[in-house]
Amino acid sequence: MKQFGSGWGSGLLGVIIFSGSLPATRVAVGGFSPLFLTSARAVIAGCLAALALFVFRQRCPTRAEIARLAIVAGGVVLGFPLLTALALRQMTSAHSIVFIGLLPLATALFGVLRGGERPRAPFWIFSIVGALSVAGFALLQPGEGSGFGDALMLAAILVCGLGYAEGAVLTRRMGGWQVISWALLVALPAMALLSLATLPKTFDDVPTVAWAGLFYVSVFSMLIGFVFWYRGLALGGIAGVGQLQLLQPFFGLALAGLLLGEPVAWSMIASTALVVACVAGARRYA
């Protein structure tokens, strides 16, 4: 039980850190192209990860582990950051954040497919109700979106769910920070080349807030958040702890309203209460 509770605590801290990712990406794409932002954040985080792996003398992954690390990298190092950066060129961060409410279902599905987990039937009921409440909340949001932008966000959710589940499975034998660090290192050569290819001609017109956004998504979203998140998924269960992501849209909307001045609907309080109840129910039956 202590390990289970520790998993949920670590997972919640990871969710809080991730909640700032989309608002930070929103301000970052105001100064950088989506491709450069995606590659630059991976390069910065990858260099920090390489340093940590060297200092703590971590063992090299096996060939089988490298193959699974490539899946993690494709989902959370390349796929999710790039797709969300492209989507945020066409919508507000408040509109994009509500799609994160679908991540628990995606993570749970891939947890079943890749992690061999078998949650009980009531878990799926609470998960679906939670996802529907977030979807309904999305429909009430004043932020404008687009069909193409929404499709990009849905694709981002799928690849992210796969990356989360795959990383959680590896964490059980490699450790949380080691998994994301090796995944970043696997992706580093390709991300470095992409970063050089998309390097802006000048940085003179890049606003300070864009630099701040790049710093956040590189250090916190791409590295530190995953240390807590993968540990939480490994200790508390992929499907169960994954339900904490239902809270992420509301943390993110609060940040979007406070830091970016974007409108946040009054229905947030009622929706949050319903989502919290769904998380509590899902946790019981995971």
Side-chain angles (χ1 to χ4, degrees):
M1 287 299 296
K2 183 178 180 180
Q3 176 176 296
F4 185 75
S6 178
W8 279 74
S10 294
L12 180 60
L13 187 53
V15 165
I16 292 173
I17 293 173
F18 289 150
S19 296
S21 298
L22 291 179
T25 301
R26 171 69 172 172
V27 297
V29 293
F32 305 105
S33 71
L35 281 174
F36 178 75
L37 176 63
T38 300
S39 55
R41 65 188 282 182
V43 169
I44 294 171
C47 290
L48 294 174
L51 179 62
L53 290 169
F54 174 78
V55 169
F56 293 102
R57 300 180 181 277
Q58 297 300 300
R59 70 168 179 85
C60 292
T62 63
R63 288 186 178 181
E65 289 172 340
I66 290 176
R68 304 192 79 163
L69 286 167
I71 296 176
V72 176
V76 303
V77 178
L78 175 61
F80 184 78
L82 178 58
L83 291 168
T84 53
L86 291 170
L88 283 164
R89 281 291 184 91
Q90 306 181 49
M91 62 178 66
T92 65
S93 63
H95 184 86
S96 67
I97 284 168
V98 294
F99 284 89
I100 301 301
L102 299 175
L103 253 179
L105 270 181
T107 304
L109 288 172
F110 285 114
V112 170
L113 295 173
R114 305 293 298 180
E117 295 190 357
R118 295 294 183 269
R120 287 178 284 175
F123 166 85
W124 295 106
I125 295 174
F126 281 111
S127 299
I128 292 172
V129 172
L132 289 176
S133 67
V134 172
F137 181 69
L139 295 175
L140 297 174
Q141 289 305 295
E144 294 183 359
S146 69
F148 182 60
D150 290 349
L152 288 172
M153 283 303 303
L154 288 173
I157 295 305
L158 287 176
V159 298
C160 190
L162 174 59
Y164 280 173
E166 200 70 34
V169 174
L170 284 172
T171 296
R172 293 167 182 166
R173 58 175 178 265
M174 294 181 67
W177 75 267
Q178 292 92 334
V179 167
I180 188 58
S181 295
W182 282 114
L184 286 164
L185 206 58
V186 166
L188 186 57
M191 292 295 98
L193 290 175
L194 181 59
S195 181
L196 290 174
T198 58
L199 190 70
K201 294 181 179 180
T202 178
F203 292 102
D204 294 339
D205 57 347
V206 177
T208 303
V209 291
W211 286 110
L214 175 60
F215 173 80
Y216 189 92
V217 297
S218 301
V219 178
F220 290 93
S221 304
M222 196 93 276
L223 186 59
I224 296 177
F226 278 103
V227 174
F228 295 102
W229 182 240
Y230 279 147
R231 181 175 184 272
L233 290 175
L235 292 178
I238 299 172
V241 173
Q243 296 308 297
L244 287 170
Q245 294 166 113
L246 286 171
L247 300 176
Q248 188 171 330
F250 305 103
F251 291 141
L253 283 168
L255 290 174
L258 291 173
L259 300 181
L260 304 183
E262 295 182 354
V264 177
W266 63 266
S267 55
M268 177 179 179
I269 297 177
S271 298
T272 301
L274 180 57
V275 167
V276 169
C278 290
V279 170
R283 173 180 178 175
R284 180 176 180 180
Y285 293 103

